[in-house]
Amino acid sequence: MKKLLLVYLAIILAFLGYVYQNRVQTNAGSGQAEEGLKGTISEKYVMVTFQSGIDYWKNCLKGFEDAAQMLNVSVEFKGATQYDANEEKTVLEQVIARKPSGIAVSAINSDALVSTLNKAVDAGIPVVLFDSNTTASQVKTFLGTNNYNAGATAARKMAELTNRRGKTAIITQPNQPNHRERTEGFMETVRQEFPDMSVIAIEDGRGDQLETEHTAIKLLEEHPDLAGIFATQANGGVGIGNALLQLRKKDLVKVIGFDTDKGTLDMVKNGTISATIAQGTWNMGYWSMQYLFHMNHGLVESGAALRAKDGSALPVNTDTGITVVTEANVDGYYAK
Amino acid sequence: MKKLLLVYLAIILAFLGYVYQNRVQTNAGSGQAEEGLKGTISEKYVMVTFQSGIDYWKNCLKGFEDAAQMLNVSVEFKGATQYDANEEKTVLEQVIARKPSGIAVSAINSDALVSTLNKAVDAGIPVVLFDSNTTASQVKTFLGTNNYNAGATAARKMAELTNRRGKTAIITQPNQPNHRERTEGFMETVRQEFPDMSVIAIEDGRGDQLETEHTAIKLLEEHPDLAGIFATQANGGVGIGNALLQLRKKDLVKVIGFDTDKGTLDMVKNGTISATIAQGTWNMGYWSMQYLFHMNHGLVESGAALRAKDGSALPVNTDTGITVVTEANVDGYYAK
């Protein structure tokens, strides 16, 4: 009987020993160096946009979510339904009030939003701006497309499509800074690199597909020898494509659009338009999350050295790149 | 006896149950989502530079190491001792031969290096360029200072120091693209924003402190009313500072240097020169490592969508920012 009790005791001790050792190992695992970059699921990071229903944000949010999954944190998507600075301001105020772990904002360029962004910074909430920047706020970190380069790339693609010669036109939204930069990049590049090409007109498509179609028809009738048109906004490619179909000019005029809406991709795929410019939307979302996580966890350059500095703790401007989408690679760009 | 045996069995079963449950939990923990971003210590990432002995790289390497520690991977620092493209090419060839997990290169702009960089890309080794870019290679990702903006910031600081009026001069290295951009940023900003200021001379300091000193003395003797000098290279500030001390013009002429060598910081601290421009070197190293890690682990946008694209999987250009260093914040910039 005594023998059995001893065996009994030995087994229980072995059991307790195993449990204890296991606890110790688990604790050792929580040191940062061994854990890697990892947050907690209770950390909530919020993406705030405008015109929140459009396809454009899907891939931004996908990047944001992919990074969140890697880092074991949570995300939320909020946005103004319209292109309305006051509506976006209200949404942002509501998000700030809940003190999230970080906010990635694509901001309408407006004074109303600048003061709200500054309020978030003053409250100590990590904030980055992505896709659309404001002219002046306390937010030091922006991630998005270099729009001048995007226009320059479109010009070089247009040169390739038109054998480096002929008249071209641009249909754009002249009041928006990012569209002005795309226009400038296209024009400067044509002027500097392609002596046998010219930009004979810059028209306002008012950000509207039908308006762009009418503008394109007028342009094509006034300039029957037009070789190509570059649309700087998302629905411009489809508008111009429809104009070409109406005038039976599909293969005579080369069109380059912008962004990767389904309508634009369909027209690239069936050859109505030649190409469109895709922005690095996944990277905007992914690295926004990384930067916010680093700010929230104090992982950026820290200590006295940083506090003494008046600059940004993170990269100030991250150019997320573009790609030219043609018939050859269009299949990879449809939203999944 | 039978009863005791049953208790005995029950305890053993409970024990085995605990062990099994624990195993299951541990396995679940090795999924990427719960682990966070974490590599293995056997992954080796290499930083390759030129003039490898200079202070400038210390903070780049610190950022590289800090990221490596976070991500649980290893680093190595290699470099050409001189400003010699062939020497750097040899070092890079040796590094490539060992097939590391990734290479961050600050490259001398030379055809010799471009072919070696392409060789690394062709071998499937993740490569990013930081600080100094080459004009054309297959490496799609660069991290560094926007030098035009750095020159523009120097011009605005100079305007503040000189009450927005008077003659200024630039001492630079006209053959190096990054120095040309700093010069252009300074000149354009003075021209566009400060009508009562002018840039009356752009001199070649040949990247040498003593040469810069002689050039500054000549400038100051020819233009006794010179209000300020901007040095675009690291040892320029000290060269000009020494010229001021010799001519007893210390408080009469405002000097803005570049980078944060100890000599330059000392002169900012004791008021011989007014300011220097600090680059975001820690960020260059830190985010180089992050990008390389993401490439090596296939964590960038992946699958058919990415393979179909011809662009970069990572941000193409990361502007790591600058800060203006003055007497007020100079203490935070000494190397530790």
Side-chain angles (χ1 to χ4, degrees):
Chain A
M1 200 67 185
K2 252 186 186 166
K3 243 187 204 164
L4 262 175
L5 269 176
L6 277 177
V7 169
Y8 191 43
L9 204 70
I11 289 171
I12 288 174
L13 284 175
F15 182 39
L16 289 175
Y18 177 83
V19 171
Y20 176 75
Q21 204 187 12
N22 191 54
R23 283 271 163 83
V24 170
Q25 279 177 354
T26 305
N27 285 340
S30 66
Q32 188 71 62
E34 236 185 75
E35 277 267 299
L37 278 179
K38 183 181 171 183
T40 57
I41 219 74
S42 62
E43 284 173 49
K44 180 159 282 173
Y45 296 84
V46 188
M47 176 174 277
V48 175
T49 69
F50 49 88
Q51 291 177 293
S52 56
I54 61 173
D55 276 0
Y56 181 77
W57 308 116
K58 280 186 186 164
N59 212 31
C60 298
L61 184 60
K62 179 70 165 60
F64 203 62
E65 287 170 340
D66 283 354
Q69 201 185 343
M70 283 296 158
L71 297 167
N72 192 47
V73 298
S74 308
V75 302
E76 209 175 318
F77 181 72
K78 293 273 175 188
T81 53
Q82 304 297 314
Y83 185 84
D84 177 340
N86 284 320
E87 192 193 348
E88 190 175 13
K89 181 189 166 81
T90 305
V91 171
L92 192 53
E93 298 269 6
Q94 286 163 352
V95 169
I96 292 168
R98 285 159 42 215
K99 297 201 193 324
S101 302
I103 316 175
V105 187
S106 180
I108 295 171
N109 187 9
S110 139
D111 287 344
L113 266 166
V114 167
S115 62
T116 309
L117 288 167
N118 290 347
K119 200 165 138 182
V121 173
D122 289 339
I125 300 170
V127 185
V128 299
L129 283 157
F130 75 98
D131 185 62
S132 299
N133 207 347
T134 58
T135 42
S137 81
Q138 287 172 38
V139 180
K140 295 270 173 73
T141 300
F142 175 73
L143 308 93
T145 299
N146 180 322
N147 285 296
Y148 183 94
N149 286 354
T153 299
R156 292 188 193 110
K157 184 68 193 175
M158 185 64 84
E160 186 194 315
L161 293 166
T162 59
N163 293 318
R164 302 169 157 253
R165 70 180 63 243
K167 295 178 186 169
T168 64
I170 303 172
I171 301 183
T172 183
Q173 284 172 276
N175 292 329
Q176 276 193 230
N178 50 345
H179 289 262
R180 275 208 300 274
E181 284 160 28
R182 290 170 196 171
T183 300
E184 216 176 290
F186 189 92
M187 286 185 65
E188 281 290 298
T189 305
V190 166
R191 197 177 60 78
Q192 286 170 15
E193 298 179 16
F194 306 107
D196 297 333
M197 288 174 71
S198 60
V199 180
I200 53 128
I202 298 167
E203 301 291 340
D204 186 355
R206 297 171 200 268
D208 184 79
Q209 184 180 309
L210 208 62
E211 187 74 37
T212 301
E213 185 180 325
H214 296 326
T215 306
I217 289 175
K218 201 161 155 267
L219 261 175
L220 290 161
E221 285 175 344
E222 283 172 12
H223 306 277
D225 56 345
L226 204 63
I229 308 177
F230 170 45
T232 69
Q233 87 275 26
N235 50 26
V238 173
I240 303 168
N242 284 336
L244 292 191
L245 292 175
Q246 265 192 59
L247 300 178
R248 297 175 189 268
K249 283 210 155 198
K250 194 183 110 171
D251 293 314
L252 301 172
V253 183
K254 306 299 176 184
V255 176
I256 300 178
F258 219 95
D259 290 329
T260 54
D261 296 6
K262 187 173 179 304
T264 307
L265 295 177
D266 285 346
M267 281 201 172
V268 171
K269 198 171 164 73
N270 70 29
T272 308
I273 68 175
S274 302
T276 191
I277 306 295
Q279 301 187 65
T281 44
W282 186 90
N283 272 318
M284 292 183 204
Y286 188 90
W287 296 101
S288 285
M289 172 60 81
Q290 283 280 358
Y291 287 168
L292 291 172
F293 181 92
H294 277 75
M295 281 194 257
N296 189 41
H297 286 254
L299 300 176
V300 287
E301 194 176 17
S302 62
L306 183 70
R307 282 193 298 276
K309 294 178 185 178
D310 52 1
S312 167
L314 284 165
V316 290
N317 197 326
T318 301
D319 176 2
T320 44
I322 54 159
T323 43
V324 179
V325 181
T326 63
E327 221 173 325
N329 62 350
V330 68
D331 286 332
Y333 286 86
Y334 281 92
K336 268 161 292 287
Chain B
M1 201 65 184
K2 253 187 184 167
K3 242 188 208 168
L4 261 173
L5 270 175
L6 277 177
V7 170
Y8 189 46
L9 203 70
I11 290 172
I12 289 174
L13 283 176
F15 182 40
L16 289 174
Y18 177 84
V19 171
Y20 176 75
Q21 203 185 11
N22 191 54
R23 281 272 163 82
V24 170
Q25 279 177 353
T26 306
N27 285 341
S30 65
Q32 189 70 60
E34 237 186 74
E35 276 266 299
L37 278 179
K38 184 181 170 183
T40 57
I41 219 72
S42 62
E43 283 173 47
K44 181 159 282 175
Y45 296 84
V46 188
M47 177 175 277
V48 175
T49 69
F50 50 88
Q51 291 177 293
S52 56
I54 61 173
D55 276 359
Y56 181 77
W57 307 116
K58 280 184 187 166
N59 212 33
C60 298
L61 184 59
K62 178 72 166 59
F64 203 62
E65 286 170 341
D66 283 354
Q69 202 185 342
M70 281 298 156
L71 297 166
N72 193 46
V73 298
S74 308
V75 303
E76 210 176 319
F77 181 72
K78 293 273 174 187
T81 54
Q82 306 296 316
Y83 185 84
D84 177 340
N86 285 319
E87 191 192 350
E88 190 175 13
K89 181 189 165 81
T90 306
V91 171
L92 192 54
E93 298 269 5
Q94 286 163 351
V95 169
I96 292 167
R98 286 160 41 215
K99 297 202 194 323
S101 302
I103 317 175
V105 187
S106 180
I108 295 170
N109 187 9
S110 142
D111 287 344
L113 267 165
V114 168
S115 62
T116 309
L117 288 167
N118 290 347
K119 200 166 136 180
V121 173
D122 289 339
I125 300 171
V127 185
V128 299
L129 283 157
F130 75 98
D131 185 63
S132 299
N133 206 346
T134 57
T135 42
S137 80
Q138 288 172 37
V139 180
K140 294 269 172 75
T141 299
F142 175 73
L143 307 94
T145 299
N146 180 322
N147 284 296
Y148 183 94
N149 285 355
T153 300
R156 292 187 193 112
K157 183 70 191 174
M158 185 63 85
E160 184 194 315
L161 293 166
T162 59
N163 294 317
R164 303 168 156 252
R165 69 181 63 244
K167 296 178 184 169
T168 64
I170 303 171
I171 302 183
T172 183
Q173 284 171 277
N175 293 330
Q176 279 194 226
N178 50 345
H179 289 263
R180 275 208 301 274
E181 283 160 26
R182 291 170 195 171
T183 300
E184 215 176 292
F186 189 92
M187 286 185 65
E188 281 291 297
T189 304
V190 165
R191 195 176 62 77
Q192 287 170 15
E193 299 179 16
F194 306 107
D196 297 332
M197 288 174 70
S198 60
V199 179
I200 53 131
I202 299 166
E203 301 290 340
D204 186 355
R206 294 168 201 274
D208 184 79
Q209 185 181 308
L210 209 60
E211 188 74 36
T212 302
E213 185 180 326
H214 296 326
T215 306
I217 289 174
K218 201 160 156 267
L219 262 176
L220 291 162
E221 284 174 345
E222 282 173 12
H223 305 278
D225 57 344
L226 204 64
I229 308 176
F230 170 45
T232 70
Q233 87 274 27
N235 50 27
V238 173
I240 302 168
N242 284 335
L244 292 191
L245 292 175
Q246 263 191 63
L247 300 177
R248 296 174 189 269
K249 284 211 156 199
K250 194 182 110 169
D251 294 315
L252 301 173
V253 182
K254 307 299 178 185
V255 177
I256 300 177
F258 219 95
D259 290 328
T260 54
D261 296 6
K262 189 175 177 303
T264 306
L265 295 177
D266 285 346
M267 280 201 172
V268 170
K269 198 172 164 74
N270 69 30
T272 307
I273 68 175
S274 302
T276 191
I277 306 295
Q279 300 187 67
T281 44
W282 186 90
N283 272 319
M284 292 182 205
Y286 188 90
W287 296 102
S288 286
M289 172 60 81
Q290 284 279 1
Y291 287 169
L292 292 172
F293 181 91
H294 276 75
M295 280 195 261
N296 189 42
H297 286 254
L299 300 177
V300 287
E301 195 176 15
S302 62
L306 183 71
R307 282 192 298 276
K309 294 180 186 178
D310 52 1
S312 166
L314 284 165
V316 291
N317 197 325
T318 301
D319 176 3
T320 45
I322 54 159
T323 43
V324 178
V325 182
T326 63
E327 224 174 324
N329 62 349
V330 66
D331 286 333
Y333 285 85
Y334 282 91
K336 270 160 292 287

